[in-house]
Amino acid sequence: MAHILITSGPTRQYIDPVRYLTNASSGKMGACLADSCLNLGHQVTIISGPVNVAYPEEANVINVSTTGEMLAAARHHFPDADGVIGAAAPCDYSPRIVQDQKIKKTGDGLTLHLEETPDIIATLGGIKLAHQWVVGFALETDDQRFRALVKLEAKCCDLIVLNGPSAMDSPNNTIEILDPVGTIVLATKGTKPEVADAILQTIEQKLLSS
Ligand code: C5P
């Protein structure tokens, strides 16, 4: 039995107390991955941004809002885990200044200065120990395999799951899983529960059996 950490859902970066930037992510893939892990007898910790999906009761769910909070929770729980699956879509940009009162409309528009948020999977990839593994996701619109492989390397992932924008908020998904030398170790499509089972089978074969 392994202890598997899953990041799931979107994060929010507030502009003022009521407005925020976010990403389109339902948390469905994270929930299906958690089900697949539990069905195989693994222990699951989910770190989730705000979502409406129901996570399995047997999973330990840690709710967060911002990318910084997701990173802090992931760093806290990663040492107790055998590996992490990065199914979250953390918001990549944060306003440089967060207003503590609601911004008033002036009729002159609004200019935001954004800075990049930390990358959670890259951070965990950089600190993983020899027995730990990291599986990332890459949602690409063009040059898909090449970009996914660049991401795998940049984030020190052991495997990367490549999917397209049609995965967003859909009940279905079409994926390829690439290893660090660019071999497509799995290509499949189906409902998200079916795809999650296939991802977990690949993780068991490639990362848990060694
Ligand atoms: O760079 P991109 O966002 O396409 O990378 C996707 C992968 O990186 C996913 O596994 C996602 O969960 C992870 N990620 C992250 N922290 C970020 C951005 C992406 O963990 N700030």
Side-chain angles (χ1 to χ4, degrees), residues 102-122:
K102 188 177 174 190
I103 298 167
K104 313 291 181 297
K105 288 202 273 185
T106 61
D108 200 22
L110 174 68
T111 302
L112 290 174
H113 292 279
L114 304 177
E115 55 192 20
E116 285 185 20
T117 55
D119 193 300
I120 296 149
I121 286 300

Side-chain angles (χ1 to χ4, degrees), residues 176-200:
E176 289 181 353
I177 302 183
L178 277 71
D179 73 5
V181 291
T183 306
I184 299 161
V185 295
L186 178 79
T188 192
K189 62 180 172 183
T191 63
K192 284 187 176 172
E194 288 165 351
V195 167
D197 280 345
I199 293 170
L200 256 296

Side-chain angles (χ1 to χ4, degrees), residues 7-9 11 23 67 70 85-93 117-124 135-140 151 155 157 160-161:
T7 66
S8 181
T11 60
N23 263 347
T67 301
M70 187 172 274
I85 308 175
C91 187
D92 293 311
Y93 296 100
T117 55
D119 193 300
I120 296 149
I121 286 300
T123 304
L124 300 184
V135 174
F137 270 70
L139 194 153
E140 305 295 337
K151 243 166 229 184
K155 300 182 193 227
C157 293
I160 195 147
V161 181

